[in-house]
Amino acid sequence: MQGLMQDVPLTLRMVLERVAELYPTKHVATKTADGVRRRSYAEVVERVTRLASALRDMGVGPGDRVATFAWNSDRHLELYLAVPCMGAVVHTLNPRLHHEQISWIVNHAEDKVVFADTSLAPAWQAVSGTDTVNTVVAMDDLDGAGGIDGAVDYEELLAGAAPEFSWPTLRENDAAAMCYTSGTTGNPKGVVYSHRSSVLHAMASLFADFIGLSERDVCLPIVPQFHANAWGTPYAALLTGANLAMPGRFMADPASIAALTAEERVTVSAAVPTVWFGVLQAIRAGTVDPASLSTLERILCGGSAVPEPLMRGFDELGIRIVHAWGMTETSPLGSVANVKSTVAEDQVLRTRLTQGIPAPSLRVRLETSEGEIAPWDGETMGELQINGPWIADAYYDPDAPDGRGGQDRFVTDAAGTRWLKTGDVAVIDAEGYIKLVDRTKDLVKSGGEWISTVDLENLLIAHDKVVEAAVIAVPHPQWDERPLACVVKADDAVTKEELLGYVGEHVAKWQVPDDVVFVEEIPKTSVGKFDKKVLRQRFGDYQLAT
Ligand code: ADP
C-alpha cells in the first residue's frame, strides 16, 4: 500500500519562500570597515531574485557551477540562495588554500563564474590557468577601495538585473552546492550536496536535541561559509527566521567577534576551538571585556576536539560550549554532545567532551582493524563509519562512471546499507556517545599497539605551562613508531622532564612520548586545525634516543 501524502520535493526554494513569507523583517548584519550593514530578509529575497536574473543573463544554466571566493557576508548568503534555487550549483572555494590547489579545484569542478571579495583580490589574482571561468564578479568588501582586474561589480550587476525571475521546478536530488575537502592526503575531494540533503540538514539543526536553533536566536557563524557551509548555519537560520550576524573579513579577531556579538546581541555562535581559545586569551589579557559576550548563550564548537580547559573556561563565563563532530562529507554535522537524561551526574562533563551521539536519522558503527563490527563498550576501537540522508555517497569525479568517484571510501554492507568510512578512529559507549581516539593517519603504531595522539595533546594542553601541543609519530628502530610532543611554552622555565613526568602520571608508561620539542607555534591548516603534515615534514626524521 502506498502512503497517500503529498510528494513535495525538499528543495532550498522552501527556505527562500519561507523566509520571504514569514520573516521579511528579520535581518542579516555584516561587519564592514565602516560599521555593521543590516539588510532585512525581504531585501535579501529581492536581491536574490535579481541575482538569479543576472546569473541567467550571464548564461548560467541548470547544473552549472558558480564559485564563491568570499568571507561570511550578506552577499555570500544571497549566493547561497540564488545559485541553487535557479538550478545551478554554488561551489564554495577556500581562499586560504595554496593558489595551485585552488586552480586545480576550479578546473576539476569546471566553475563557470566566480564571485570574489575584493579583499581577496591578491589571492584570486594568484590563481591562474582557470580555463572554464568566463566571468568574475567582484564583491567590494573594502568599501570602494578595491577591485579585481576585469571583474564585473556585484552591486552594478544587481542594479542592472530584472527584479523578477521565474524560479524553475527542481528535483530534490539535484545538486545544490559543492565543497572540496581540504585534502590533508592527496588531492582535495569534491563533495556534492543535494537540495534534499541541505534541507534535511537545516531542519535537523532546529531540533532541540541537536543544535536547537530557533527564531529567537541571533546566530554568528565564524566558521567560514567556504568551510563545509559554515556548518549549515546559514540555511538553518533562514529556515527558522533567526537573525544572522556575519563577520565579513574580520573573521577570527577576538575584539571584532566580541564587538559584533554585543552590537547584534548574538545568542549562538559557531567556530573551531582555536578561535575560542583566542577569545578566552583576549578576555584573560584584558583586551576583550567579557560583558560584551553577555547575550551569548551557547557556542557550537568542533572541527577538532574541544579540550577540557576550553569548555571549563567558557562554563565559568556562563557560556555553554556544545561539542559537535562532522566532516565536509557529512554536510557537516554528524554528532552533537547533548547530555541525555540517563547520563549520571558525575559523567556530565566527560559526556560533553565526547563527540556526541549521531543526529536523528544518522547511524554510526565502528569497524575494527580485523574487519569486525565493534561493540559499543567504550573500549573497543574501530574506524567510525556513518550512514544517513545528508552523508556523501560518492566523491565528484568527472572521469568516473556517473561522476561517482572515491569508491574506496565507501562500503555497502550485507543489508544494503551504505557507509562512509570517515578515517576517524573512535570508541562508542553504551549510551551511544562517540569518543574520537584519533584520525587513522595520525595514530602512533608502537610495537603493534596504537597510541592516541589526541589523548596526549589534551593532557599537555591542560598543563598550565603549555599554550598548545601536538603529538606526532616519528620512526623508531625497535617500536616502528613512537610519539614526539611538539609544545608551545606558556612559561619559559618549563622543562621536557617536567612535562613528560606529568604525562606519565596520567597514562601508561609505554604511551608517554619519547621526547618533547619546543616550537614557536603549532602550524595550522587553512581551517584552523593542527597541521600535522607540516610537523611530520619538519620532524619526520627526528632522532629519538634509543
Ligand atoms: P579535512 O578532512 O580536510 O580536515 P573536514 O573539515 O571535513 O576537513 O574535517 C573533518 C575531520 O575533522 C573529521 O574527520 C575529524 O577528524 C575532525 N573533527 C571534526 N570535528 C571534530 C571533533 N569535534 N573532535 C575531533 N575531531 C574532529
Side-chain angles (χ1 to χ4, degrees), residues 182-183 227 302-305 323-328 355 424 436 439 529:
S182 47
H227 182 213
S304 58
H323 190 192
W325 167 90
M327 310 170 71
T328 306
Q355 278 70 21
D424 286 330
L436 246 61
R439 297 192 94 165
K529 302 182 195 184

Side-chain angles (χ1 to χ4, degrees), residues 70-72 76 80 92-96 179 224-229:
W71 305 116
N72 295 2
H76 208 166
Y80 262 44
T92 50
L93 290 167
N94 179 346
R96 292 186 182 136
C179 184
Q225 284 182 266
F226 58 75
H227 182 213
N229 304 319

Side-chain angles (χ1 to χ4, degrees), residues 267-349:
T267 59
V268 54
S269 184
V272 294
T274 357
V275 168
W276 300 115
F277 262 123
V279 172
L280 210 51
Q281 274 161 7
I283 289 175
R284 287 177 181 156
T287 53
V288 161
D289 178 1
S292 58
L293 303 179
S294 63
T295 55
L296 191 59
E297 293 163 9
R298 57 202 199 283
I299 287 172
L300 189 61
C301 193
S304 58
V306 173
E308 188 175 328
L310 185 67
M311 193 170 273
R312 284 189 187 276
F314 276 92
D315 278 351
E316 281 161 20
L317 294 169
I319 301 167
R320 187 176 178 83
I321 288 193
V322 181
H323 190 192
W325 167 90
M327 310 170 71
T328 306
E329 293 87 333
T330 64
S331 292
L333 294 171
S335 61
V336 175
N338 291 309
V339 182
K340 291 199 236 170
S341 57
T342 44
V343 170
E345 194 57 39
D346 62 351
Q347 294 299 307
V348 167
L349 183 63

Side-chain angles (χ1 to χ4, degrees), residues 179-185 188-189 191 193 227-228 231 272-273 301-306 322-330 332 335 353-356 384 395 409 422-425 436-442 454 525-527 529-530:
C179 184
Y180 280 69
T181 63
S182 47
T184 36
T185 50
K189 299 184 201 66
V191 177
Y193 307 105
H227 182 213
W231 298 347
V272 294
C301 193
S304 58
V306 173
V322 181
H323 190 192
W325 167 90
M327 310 170 71
T328 306
E329 293 87 333
T330 64
S335 61
L353 288 165
T354 69
Q355 278 70 21
L384 183 66
Y395 291 106
R409 294 282 306 274
T422 65
D424 286 330
V425 179
L436 246 61
V437 176
D438 221 327
R439 297 192 94 165
T440 33
K441 58 180 182 286
D442 291 340
V454 173
T525 68
S526 59
V527 291
K529 302 182 195 184
F530 289 167

